[in-house]
Amino acid sequence: MSRAPKGGRRRLDASVPPEYDLPTREPRIESARTARFLMGVVFLGWLAGTAGSATSILAVDTPAWIERPSAALLMVVFAIGLTHRGGGHMRLWLPMTAVLGAAAVGLETNVLLAAAAAVTAVLASVWAVLVTRPVATVVGAIREYSLALLVALSGTVGVAAWNAPVNYQRFNLIVLTVSLGLAITLVWNLGAGLHGLGRQNLAILLGVAGLVMLVIAYSSFVRTHGSQSLVQAFTDTVLWTRRTFHGAPRPIEVLIGFPALIVGVSLRSKRREGWWVLVFAVIGTAVLTTSLVSPGAFPKYIALSTLYSGVLGLVVGLVLRRQFMKEPSSRAARAIAPVARVEPPRFAALK
């Protein structure tokens, strides 16, 4: 007669390797060698598109005609990366993006240029978040944070290279709205829907969403209906910051968008609900990709502002990460052995 183990709590079996918690599609390319070759081609396209687009903001001796074709190439690369990562239909979205890019380069009408710039910003801002990986360490979180900002910055120069005649406020609002909608659509499956959040996490996300809306609404109200003294005080503060530091951090990036990147990639190493935090990271990457859309924007000022926002956002994110990643009580830790969550490789489909 077998005897049951005496005393103690039953622990989860951590010896069994964890599996990805979502079904994924079959590989698009059966040959691993061919897949690696195509991945290298896409990477070279990203490098070429970024370098060519950067000539629109750098004083280099290159012909001006390479700027918009480079932006079109970059937009196609973003479409490939996002469609593949999100498990979408490549035969549908890739031709549509390529046709838009070719038409904008060939016809150069205001509508097509504005549309191409907006699509470039949306694709770059969402792909910058989806290309990240879940990490459990501070060093890993900083690495993923840097990668996301690098991808978003390539989208920034791509948008600048289109040199589209747009209204900045309206363009920024459209890109932000579409990017958030696309991110929510993709994250709905990756994050197990709203029911997978739990009451506490749902309350936190709703609070952050309310804060975002409050910041946007208040800033718009101050600019249009604020008292003269309040508007002048804001203006004087911004001018002082520009004269002193030659740049100014963007609050929505520092307080919401960039910290959400750090917290989201860290939380994903434990729970898939971390994807919902990364929805707010799209706010930061979307604002970043649209920062040079105005032809009157000064690249040096935008670069320094982005640097300040990135550093401050990293600090805020690390502080919040410590709170979100806090280990459970010692009693709960003895009862349940933590198991790290896994996801497909960086350049594989997530679903």
Side-chain angles (χ1 to χ4, degrees):
M1 185 174 179
S2 61
R3 298 179 61 187
K6 294 182 179 180
R9 296 176 179 270
R10 289 193 296 177
R11 299 169 64 89
L12 292 180
D13 186 5
S15 63
V16 179
E19 296 182 355
Y20 186 46
D21 43 19
L22 280 177
T24 56
R25 60 177 299 151
E26 294 294 327
R28 302 176 190 270
I29 307 296
E30 295 183 1
S31 171
R33 184 176 181 180
T34 304
R36 287 194 298 269
F37 172 76
L38 293 177
M39 188 182 303
V41 171
V42 173
F43 178 70
L44 291 176
W46 176 75
L47 287 178
T50 302
S53 298
T55 61
S56 63
I57 60 173
L58 299 177
V60 292
D61 188 16
T62 54
W65 62 264
I66 71 170
E67 297 173 4
R68 285 174 176 168
S70 298
L73 173 60
L74 205 53
M75 181 173 64
V76 171
V77 169
F78 291 149
I80 294 174
L82 182 58
T83 303
H84 177 66
R85 187 71 165 156
H89 298 285
M90 194 72 71
R91 67 185 64 181
L92 172 64
W93 298 110
L94 179 56
M96 291 176 59
T97 308
V99 168
L100 174 61
V105 171
L107 300 178
E108 296 187 338
T109 62
N110 292 345
V111 174
L112 288 174
L113 292 175
V119 170
T120 301
V122 169
L123 295 178
S125 59
V126 179
W127 188 46
V129 173
L130 257 68
V131 80
T132 57
R133 294 269 297 150
V135 289
T137 63
V138 173
V139 175
I142 296 175
R143 182 191 67 235
E144 299 301 315
Y145 178 80
S146 302
L147 174 64
L149 294 191
L150 179 63
V151 174
L153 282 172
S154 68
T156 304
V157 296
V159 172
W162 284 115
N163 196 23
V166 297
N167 177 274
Y168 173 75
Q169 298 294 339
R170 189 177 304 167
F171 182 87
N172 188 39
L173 184 60
I174 291 174
V175 169
L176 189 59
T177 303
V178 176
S179 299
L180 280 175
L182 180 57
I184 291 173
T185 302
L186 292 170
V187 167
W188 189 267
N189 289 329
L190 298 176
L194 291 177
H195 66 276
L197 284 172
R199 291 184 177 181
Q200 181 179 1
N201 291 331
L202 181 59
I204 293 174
L205 291 180
L206 290 177
V208 174
L211 178 62
V212 172
M213 297 302 298
L214 181 63
V215 169
I216 295 176
Y218 180 73
S219 60
S220 299
F221 177 81
V222 169
R223 282 194 299 266
T224 56
H225 300 89
S227 64
Q228 186 64 31
S229 59
L230 183 61
V231 173
Q232 188 62 41
F234 274 112
T235 303
D236 292 342
T237 303
V238 172
L239 290 177
W240 177 84
T241 305
R242 289 179 178 179
R243 287 194 300 265
T244 306
F245 302 105
H246 306 287
R250 294 179 282 268
I252 200 167
E253 293 177 343
V254 173
L255 300 177
I256 299 172
F258 291 171
L261 267 173
I262 293 289
V263 175
V265 297
S266 301
L267 200 59
R268 272 166 56 198
S269 67
K270 292 187 173 183
R271 298 184 295 274
R272 62 192 289 193
E273 290 79 16
W275 278 112
W276 282 107
V277 178
L278 287 174
V279 168
F280 297 101
V282 173
I283 297 175
T285 54
V287 172
L288 178 56
T289 56
T290 60
S291 56
L292 281 175
V293 67
S294 175
F298 294 99
K300 181 180 178 180
Y301 172 79
I302 296 298
L304 289 174
S305 298
T306 301
L307 176 62
Y308 300 149
S309 298
V311 172
L312 294 176
L314 176 61
V315 173
V316 175
L318 291 177
V319 172
L320 293 177
R321 178 190 180 277
R322 183 175 182 180
Q323 179 66 30
F324 274 84
M325 298 295 288
K326 186 179 296 184
E327 294 295 335
S329 64
S330 58
R331 182 175 180 181
R334 289 195 302 268
I336 300 177
V339 178
R341 181 175 172 272
V342 298
E343 285 186 5
R346 189 182 305 279
F347 299 111
L350 287 167
K351 62 178 183 175

